[in-house]
Amino acid sequence: MKPERHPREDDRLRELRRYGILDTDKEREFDELVEIASDICEAPVSVINFIDEGRQWFKAEVGLGVRSTPLDTSLCGHAVLQGDYIEIPDTLDDKRMADNPLCTGDPGFRFYAGSVLKGANGLPLGTLCVLDHRPRALSDHQRKVLRVLSRHIMRELDLRIALDREQTLRREVDHRVKNSLASIGALLSMKARRETDSAARLALEDASNRIRSLSSLHAELHELDGQASVSLQSLFMRIEIDLRQLLPEGIQLTISVGDDRVGPQLANSLVLIVNEFVANSVKHAFGSGHGSIKVEIEAKGDRWSLVCCDDGSAGAKEAERAATGSGLGTRVIHSIASSMDIAPQWRADGYGMELKLDSSTANSVG
């Protein structure tokens, strides 16, 4: 007998497609579940199947060797119309299956037991079932295991939907954050260009610079794609491009960094320190309007170092001022370094300022 359509067949099929499970590759998580069901129920055949339009499709199977069969001969097509669980001790004694070629053949399926897989709206999508070539019955323990495994299957599928929804929301939030940061940075730059007061202009440029650095870090983190570390080379390529756009003509910037990866927290700290050093150099180091700033970063395993230097006119007084953190920029650097339990090393000899941080003197962050 051909299985009847579910009374809410259209709704049922929509729910099935919402899970996006049809025609996906085999997965070990599901293969192991049918293996467990087969072993515990002592059945040669076990499948996780979903009743699609015109076919039943198997996500995982033991002892069957195919991924789909026509719905006309589906035993599970009958099961989804009957409660949460169905057990047929002898299929040839059941009028729905007595003429089914899968049961009447040699060897035919003479025993069937299936626990129905239901979607979040309660509609049946398929079954976790076991089949045997001889009439028989399951024990209470075997029936319980079949029901528990079927609930586990649906929890896994529901979790995947929740994760997909969360990732979609995250992508939308990340996109909006990226656009917002870009808009704020652009507005600050426009205001800085129009500002006639030099102190206000410098403050706006500094704020714009920090927003751009934050935007670059956000973009790098957004592209991690599930990874737990940041490529310093990729990140500081963005940072260098952004900073060069803000540097006055005549001042050169070079950032040297290997293809190393670090945690997001350390990456953020390095970006902020470099940003503050460059901003300080632009403000205080180059009275002539010409000069260069160099940044070198190295990270190997748990060890990393950062060296920032310029060829400006800083001397002992400026080095002492930086070491005590009396300026806003140096206070920011000292604060970040302190959070990493590292004391920044400053050196100046009248031909420029150098800042060095080395994780070998403390615990690394990241």
Side-chain angles (χ1 to χ4, degrees), residues 212-233:
R212 285 174 179 267
S213 297
L214 180 60
S215 179
S216 296
L217 177 61
H218 176 270
E220 191 68 28
L221 293 175
H222 176 55
E223 294 173 6
L224 282 179
D225 194 23
Q227 299 181 62
S229 59
V230 180
S231 167
L232 287 179
Q233 190 173 72

Side-chain angles (χ1 to χ4, degrees), residues 68-298:
S68 68
T69 59
L71 189 59
D72 289 356
T73 57
S74 170
L75 279 65
C76 296
H78 297 288
V80 297
L81 299 173
Q82 184 176 323
D84 297 326
Y85 177 84
I86 181 174
E87 184 172 328
I88 303 172
D90 189 343
T91 57
L92 296 186
D93 289 339
D94 190 298
K95 65 179 182 179
R96 295 168 298 180
M97 302 178 184
D99 62 347
N100 192 311
L102 295 179
C103 301
T104 59
D106 185 22
F109 292 125
R110 295 291 299 277
F111 169 77
Y112 175 92
S115 183
V116 177
L117 305 174
K118 292 189 175 183
N121 61 2
L123 292 175
L125 308 179
T127 68
L128 167 64
C129 66
V130 292
L131 301 100
D132 207 335
H133 300 298
R134 61 184 177 86
R136 51 172 293 201
L138 295 184
S139 67
D140 288 341
H141 173 67
Q142 290 170 330
R143 294 184 186 108
K144 180 179 180 180
V145 168
L146 210 57
R147 291 188 176 100
V148 169
L149 291 178
S150 68
R151 290 197 293 270
H152 182 82
I153 291 167
M154 290 313 303
R155 280 197 294 269
E156 173 68 21
L157 296 181
D158 287 332
L159 178 60
R160 292 183 180 195
I161 284 183
L163 289 175
D164 286 343
R165 187 181 299 117
E166 181 181 342
Q167 289 170 0
T168 299
L169 179 60
R170 180 194 165 196
R171 286 193 294 269
E172 176 62 24
V173 170
D174 283 342
H175 180 69
R176 294 191 180 192
V177 169
K178 179 182 177 181
N179 288 345
S180 296
L181 290 173
S183 297
I184 293 171
L187 286 172
L188 290 173
S189 294
M190 290 173 57
K191 287 183 176 294
R193 288 195 295 269
R194 296 172 181 172
E195 181 58 58
T196 56
D197 182 88
S198 59
R201 184 173 63 256
L202 286 173
L204 289 169
E205 289 175 348
D206 184 47
S208 176
N209 194 8
R210 297 185 190 194
I211 290 292
R212 285 174 179 267
S213 297
L214 180 60
S215 179
S216 296
L217 177 61
H218 176 270
E220 191 68 28
L221 293 175
H222 176 55
E223 294 173 6
L224 282 179
D225 194 23
Q227 299 181 62
S229 59
V230 180
S231 167
L232 287 179
Q233 190 173 72
S234 177
L235 173 61
F236 277 93
M237 281 179 61
R238 299 175 189 266
I239 297 298
E240 187 171 1
I241 291 171
D242 287 340
L243 289 176
R244 280 179 175 173
Q245 293 176 355
L246 300 175
L247 291 176
E249 188 175 352
I251 297 178
Q252 303 297 317
L253 171 65
T254 303
I255 299 180
S256 300
V257 58
D259 190 18
D260 307 311
R261 304 190 72 89
V262 300
Q265 186 177 355
L266 175 56
N268 184 47
S269 297
L270 294 176
V271 167
L272 293 175
I273 290 171
V274 169
N275 183 75
E276 293 301 331
F277 184 89
V278 171
N280 270 3
S281 293
V282 170
K283 291 177 186 176
H284 307 296
F286 306 111
S288 64
H290 295 275
S292 63
I293 304 170
K294 295 182 180 180
V295 176
E296 295 182 356
I297 304 171
E298 183 176 354

Side-chain angles (χ1 to χ4, degrees), residues 329-343:
T330 53
R331 285 205 305 272
V332 171
I333 292 174
H334 278 265
S335 175
I336 297 169
S338 177
S339 70
M340 298 186 285
D341 196 25
I342 295 175

